[in-house]
């Protein structure tokens, strides 16, 4: 299963995220990037795939709501739409 490599990377990010938050460190998964542009910037082979671009650090403020929601970039969807 070739996709297992990507799945392993995603679960590693998830584990890093949980560990970071347990230590008061914030983690943001940037999803507005063009993977091919990033591949060019980093000068990596075409066979490489961007799985995650992360921002890690101490947050300026502690908040329950995600920044995307607080800033009006995204709206929280009803659980009934997400889970069926």
């Amino acid at each position: 299963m070739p996709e297992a490599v990507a799945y392993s990377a995603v679960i590693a990010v998830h584990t890093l995220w949980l560990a970071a938050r347990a230590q008061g460190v914030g983690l943001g998964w940037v999803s507005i990037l063009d993977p091919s542009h990033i591949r060019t910037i980093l000068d990596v082979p075409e066979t490489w795939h961007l799985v995650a671009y992360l921002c890690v650090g101490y947050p300026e403020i502690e908040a329950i709501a995600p920044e995307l929601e607080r800033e009006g970039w995204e709206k929280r969807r009803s659980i009934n739409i997400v889970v069926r």
Side-chain angles (χ1 to χ4, degrees), residues 42-57:
L42 297 177
D43 192 28
V44 296
E46 286 286 321
T47 56
W48 287 29
H49 299 281
L50 177 67
V51 173
Y53 187 93
L54 308 171
C55 297
V56 181

Side-chain angles (χ1 to χ4, degrees), residues 17 19 33 50:
W17 203 326
L33 299 172
L50 177 67

Side-chain angles (χ1 to χ4, degrees), residues 12-81:
V13 169
H14 178 262
T15 304
L16 172 64
W17 203 326
L18 292 175
R21 291 305 302 142
Q23 297 299 316
V25 176
L27 188 145
W29 193 319
V30 180
S31 60
I32 58 171
L33 299 172
D34 175 6
S36 62
H37 184 64
I38 298 301
R39 186 183 303 115
T40 301
I41 291 170
L42 297 177
D43 192 28
V44 296
E46 286 286 321
T47 56
W48 287 29
H49 299 281
L50 177 67
V51 173
Y53 187 93
L54 308 171
C55 297
V56 181
Y58 292 98
E60 290 181 9
I61 60 167
E62 289 286 334
I64 299 298
E67 186 174 7
L68 293 174
E69 185 178 352
R70 288 192 325 268
E71 297 295 328
W73 298 335
E74 282 287 339
K75 290 190 172 136
R76 194 171 296 240
R77 293 180 283 172
S78 165
I79 190 73
N80 298 326
I81 293 172

